[in-house]
Amino acid sequence: MIIRNVNELKNTDRSVSDAQWTSVRMLLADDQMGFSFHITYIQAGSEHTFHYKNHFESVWCVSGKGSIEDLETGEVHEIKPGVMYALDKHDKHTVRCEEELVLACCFNPPVTGKEVHREDGSYAAPDEAA
Amino acid sequence: MIIRNVNELKNTDRSVSDAQWTSVRMLLADDQMGFSFHITYIQAGSEHTFHYKNHFESVWCVSGKGSIEDLETGEVHEIKPGVMYALDKHDKHTVRCEEELVLACCFNPPVTGKEVHREDGSYAAPDEAA
């Protein structure tokens, strides 16, 4: 049994930050659960475009306010507490944040923690060099 | 892209209740994400013993107060907002709830939604009759 507290991991190497977001990796590939689980904080006023070509991701909003735009269809959906979006088609998307978002995120395949976002907004597949 | 709101699913067939808990299935096996994702509500004052022999489960506490006992070792861990437990060894466990717990749960393999808890606290494996 693994026990971890997001508040205790915020200042450790399990917390990864980029421009205007921080992601605390609660579970990674080496935990061998078959998925990874992250608590991600997105700063108010920021905008992020991602395209996880090699991963399925679900994101459930714990708190905050924003929106997600499906860049394929142009549809915009509100993000607020209780709302989940799931990128079942590896959907390229833009997240816009009005009030700091706290998000519970699952990735399959699990993120190793060593990925970087590439220019196209994706992470490398597990068997591919980053 | 799938968009769902836990508050809108509470009174639908995606919400499953048993004695003193309710689980809203945000993602199930047929969503083909490779995991399932549930928001689970556990009533204050209740106690639950589970043993997911065929699944890995992670549980992150959104709100509430309780504890988890590892029935193999006897260790007891506090459950409070921000704490995650992950049953990486299919750990048999008892959850005790002091104040209503709201929990974000991931299962691998994904739950189909048709499982019932068996007498031993487990769910059937996907290829096994329930």
Side-chain angles (χ1 to χ4, degrees), chain B residues 47-50 67-71 92-96:
Chain B
E47 181 179 312
H48 309 269
T49 295
F50 299 121
S67 65
I68 178 168
E69 179 178 351
D70 182 332
L71 294 176
K92 187 174 181 180
H93 62 285
T94 296
V95 172
R96 295 183 177 90

Side-chain angles (χ1 to χ4, degrees), chain A residues 1-6 26-27 33-35 37 39 57-58 60 77 82-86 88 91 106 108, chain B residues 1-6 26-27 33-35 37 39 57-58 60 77 82-86 88 91 106 108:
Chain A
M1 186 181 301
I2 300 168
I3 307 283
R4 293 185 182 133
N5 183 332
V6 68
M26 304 296 291
L27 289 172
M33 297 284 287
F35 56 85
F37 181 69
I39 303 296
E57 185 195 19
S58 73
W60 184 71
H77 307 277
V83 167
M84 177 201 70
Y85 64 85
D88 62 329
D91 316 69
C106 307
N108 168 36
Chain B
M1 187 181 300
I2 299 167
I3 307 283
R4 292 184 181 134
N5 183 333
V6 68
M26 305 296 291
L27 289 172
M33 298 284 289
F35 55 85
F37 181 70
I39 303 297
E57 185 196 18
S58 72
W60 183 72
H77 307 276
V83 167
M84 177 202 72
Y85 64 84
D88 62 328
D91 316 69
C106 308
N108 168 35

Side-chain angles (χ1 to χ4, degrees), chain B:
Chain B
M1 187 181 300
I2 299 167
I3 307 283
R4 292 184 181 134
N5 183 333
V6 68
N7 299 308
E8 293 170 3
L9 296 180
K10 276 182 184 166
N11 297 313
T12 71
D13 61 4
R14 282 193 165 265
S15 177
V16 175
S17 294
D18 203 335
Q20 301 187 293
W21 61 263
T22 295
S23 184
V24 180
R25 275 71 196 270
M26 305 296 291
L27 289 172
L28 287 169
D30 64 4
D31 292 309
Q32 299 191 294
M33 298 284 289
F35 55 85
S36 60
F37 181 70
H38 318 177
I39 303 297
T40 298
Y41 303 83
I42 299 189
Q43 281 181 32
S46 67
E47 181 179 312
H48 309 269
T49 295
F50 299 121
H51 190 190
Y52 296 118
K53 297 177 184 179
N54 302 306
H55 297 78
F56 295 108
E57 185 196 18
S58 72
V59 174
W60 183 72
C61 178
V62 180
S63 62
K65 190 176 172 184
S67 65
I68 178 168
E69 179 178 351
D70 182 332
L71 294 176
E72 180 74 24
T73 64
E75 281 183 289
V76 176
H77 307 276
E78 186 182 17
I79 301 176
K80 61 184 181 182
V83 167
M84 177 202 72
Y85 64 84
L87 305 167
D88 62 328
K89 297 185 179 66
H90 306 288
D91 316 69
K92 187 174 181 180
H93 62 285
T94 296
V95 172
R96 295 183 177 90
C97 178
E98 291 175 53
E99 295 168 14
E100 187 195 40
L101 287 164
V102 180
L103 305 169
C105 311
C106 308
F107 278 83
N108 168 35
V111 166
T112 64
K114 297 184 176 63
E115 293 85 356
V116 290
H117 282 101
R118 299 186 289 193
E119 266 192 36
D120 63 358
S122 74
Y123 281 152
D127 57 355
E128 189 185 352

